[in-house]
Amino acid sequence: MRLEAHGVGMQLPAGWDGVISRRPNAQAVVHAASFALPPADGDFATAATSLMPPDGVVVVLVEYDPQLAGTGLFASAGPPATLEAADFNSSTLLRRLPGQVGLQRFFSHRGRAFCLYVVLGSADAAPQLAARATAVLATLSLA
């Protein structure tokens, strides 16, 4: 399934669910998961991560004010090319749930500022789950 809206695109593997929405301030929010997403959720998918199975992956991309692009947290250019198991830990989680680990990466692309937030359902399976998240991230296109 290909998600495409608001200058953001992503190819999802079979069995994944995803949505691209737009906040009232016109910035994009992407939720992609290896399981069915709940019908409504916050920007950082706290409802989805609460329902996530141990073999689950949630990928979130939140766009911020373009004036932040290239500054401070958003100084890095482009999203990370690879996500390694060592990049994930529980202290990064918005809501800490047993076994889950996450990561946040802030970056800019073509005058747009983004936060990438990825949650894995199991620290024990982090190498395999991080590889799944990396494969989805590799399909990300940003206008």
Side-chain angles (χ1 to χ4, degrees), residues 11-22:
Q11 184 68 38
L12 300 182
W16 280 58
D17 192 10
V19 63
I20 300 175
S21 58
R22 185 173 246 175

Side-chain angles (χ1 to χ4, degrees), residues 120-139:
L120 308 179
S122 168
D124 293 336
Q128 298 86 355
L129 299 177
R132 291 173 68 194
T134 295
V136 168
L137 190 57
T139 71

Side-chain angles (χ1 to χ4, degrees), residues 2-70:
R2 178 84 183 160
L3 296 177
E4 194 92 39
H6 314 301
V8 179
M10 183 180 287
Q11 184 68 38
L12 300 182
W16 280 58
D17 192 10
V19 63
I20 300 175
S21 58
R22 185 173 246 175
R23 294 161 145 181
N25 58 8
Q27 293 151 355
V29 176
V30 179
H31 291 173
S34 61
F35 56 93
L37 289 168
D41 208 341
D43 284 354
F44 288 93
T46 55
T49 59
S50 296
L51 302 170
M52 182 165 52
D55 65 347
V57 176
V58 172
V59 176
V60 173
L61 187 67
V62 177
E63 184 176 7
Y64 286 84
D65 188 314
Q67 291 182 343
L68 296 171

Side-chain angles (χ1 to χ4, degrees), residues 85-93 96 100-103 105 118 123:
D87 297 333
F88 291 82
N89 64 68
S90 62
S91 67
T92 310
L93 296 172
R96 289 188 186 183
Q100 292 183 0
V101 290
L103 73 74
R105 294 292 183 268
V118 180

